Amino acid sequence: MATYDPMIDPAAARQAHRMQALFPLMRVLFVNSPQLRFATKKIAKPTRITIPTRHGDIGALVYSPTARDIEAQLAAGHRPPVHLITHGGGFILRTPKQEDNVAQYLASEVGCFVVIPDYDAAPQVRFPVEEEESYDAFRWIHAHGGEFGWDQDRITVGGASAGGKLALNVALMAIDDGHYVPLAVSSEYGASDMSIPDEQRTSTKKNPIVGRGLMTLIRKTYFLGADLTDPLASPALHPRLAELPPTLIETAELDTLKHESNALAAEPVRRGVDVTHREFAGVDHAFTHAKPVEVAREAITMIGDHLRKAFASAL
């Protein structure tokens, strides 16, 4: 029987459960095209590991570079680096496998391990469980990565949609804690300011992917009762944005989340952060996982270039 946080209204919980049940089919129909796989090397299927967090153990997928690439990096005197992907899914879907095409590309072309935690989601949990589990996973990688042959001192973090917000959270939580900070951050069509009224999230597209209905459901489930001006809920409001590491922000012309992410891209630049920002024309949310192919290719290639530069800078 599906469970949910007792504070969440049963009707909203049922709607979220339906969304969870339908997504595997939607993924197969719309975001699983082999044309969106750009890895040039054969990457093995991901392995599964367990990561402890303050909320209990969570699973994670681990994608590995090829054996030849691992050997080449060891021969050069360093272990392969690690990229943590905080997956998307509107704070409701548990979809680490959704990031398969991106993870395969990064393992193949950048030569890094890719870890994708399967963090808990609404309606089973509420804010700030996802943020805390993602950060705990990052801390665990830094503490234990060496046991797996990873370079635990060369870690980056990134994510799409809800995962873009969580990636920013991870970096900013590390900054607040005085802990090891990721070498770079990426956010693809990410949320960043949950305090913005939904009527300000506009698009020229008649039925954008992230519409009012989805945002209402997110507010009624994951963010129920949260102070949306808390920087943990809205990293764009964090007072220490100037301390972010090099950051890549990718947005979409037709995406209702583009306004907050475009504003977020401008603010760290004003504060002196190394920010790369690209708004892709003519596309909506989730463009790294959907056609047109050339937009997805360019966006994913930009992520790889961003990480490769960050990893090289730490050698």
Side-chain angles (χ1 to χ4, degrees):
M1 181 176 178
T3 60
Y4 58 92
D5 183 288
M7 295 296 293
I8 295 175
D9 179 76
R14 286 194 296 271
Q15 187 178 354
H17 284 139
R18 285 195 294 271
M19 182 176 167
Q20 291 171 341
L22 288 172
F23 184 76
L25 176 61
M26 299 295 288
R27 176 177 175 268
V28 169
L29 292 175
F30 298 108
V31 297
N32 205 35
S33 171
Q35 294 177 282
L36 301 176
R37 299 183 177 276
F38 308 121
T40 62
K41 303 168 187 172
K42 178 67 174 178
I43 297 300
K45 291 183 178 180
T47 57
R48 294 181 181 272
I49 62 172
T50 299
I51 298 177
T53 79
R54 73 192 76 180
H55 299 288
D57 291 349
I58 59 174
L61 300 178
V62 179
Y63 291 77
S64 302
T66 65
R68 178 174 294 181
D69 282 348
I70 293 174
E71 291 170 2
Q73 293 188 64
L74 292 174
H78 55 83
R79 290 173 293 184
V82 190
H83 181 59
L84 172 67
I85 292 181
T86 45
H87 68 77
F91 307 98
I92 293 171
L93 301 175
R94 298 185 66 165
T95 58
K97 190 65 174 176
Q98 174 184 323
E99 305 298 335
D100 190 71
N101 66 324
V102 177
Q104 285 194 3
Y105 177 86
L106 297 176
S108 169
E109 308 308 306
V110 180
C112 60
F113 288 94
V114 180
V115 180
I116 314 176
D118 184 13
Y119 55 77
D120 290 304
Q124 286 79 7
V125 300
R126 290 184 294 139
F127 172 84
V129 171
E130 295 181 17
E131 290 79 1
E132 291 173 346
E133 288 185 346
S134 296
Y135 180 56
D136 290 351
F138 170 76
R139 291 284 301 260
W140 181 86
I141 290 170
H142 184 251
H144 298 279
E147 300 166 18
F148 295 85
W150 311 339
D151 188 343
Q152 63 204 65
D153 291 318
R154 289 196 298 150
I155 308 172
T156 55
V157 61
S161 191
K165 186 193 96 69
L166 297 175
L168 290 165
N169 286 133
V170 166
L172 291 165
M173 291 168 83
I175 289 168
D176 282 342
D177 281 356
H179 184 60
Y180 168 85
V181 175
L183 298 176
V185 181
S186 70
S187 172
E188 301 91 58
Y189 43 91
S192 63
D193 189 350
M194 299 307 299
S195 71
I196 295 175
D198 290 341
E199 55 268 22
Q200 293 183 19
R201 293 185 169 92
T202 60
S203 172
T204 57
K205 185 178 178 181
K206 183 176 180 181
N207 293 303
I209 293 172
V210 182
R212 292 279 183 90
L214 176 57
M215 291 304 302
T216 298
L217 181 61
I218 290 169
R219 294 183 187 283
K220 287 183 176 181
T221 55
Y222 186 66
F223 288 103
L224 179 68
D227 174 4
L228 299 181
T229 64
D230 181 338
L232 193 58
S234 298
L237 305 181
H238 199 285
R240 300 178 71 178
L241 293 177
E243 297 174 52
L244 280 171
T247 300
L248 171 65
I249 296 178
E250 297 183 338
T251 59
E253 179 187 6
L254 305 179
D255 186 10
T256 60
L257 300 185
K258 77 168 186 179
H259 309 289
E260 62 199 87
S261 286
N262 287 347
L264 175 66
E267 181 61 18
V269 167
R270 188 180 68 80
R271 302 190 189 189
V273 177
D274 177 6
V275 175
T276 301
H277 175 217
R278 170 72 184 276
E279 180 179 303
F280 288 86
V283 294
D284 195 357
H285 200 77
F287 54 79
T288 52
H289 295 76
K291 296 178 180 178
V293 172
E294 287 311 310
V295 171
R297 184 192 302 275
E298 184 174 359
I300 294 172
T301 300
M302 284 185 70
I303 299 169
D305 291 344
H306 181 63
L307 302 187
R308 191 180 295 108
K309 180 180 178 181
F311 291 140
S313 71
L315 289 176

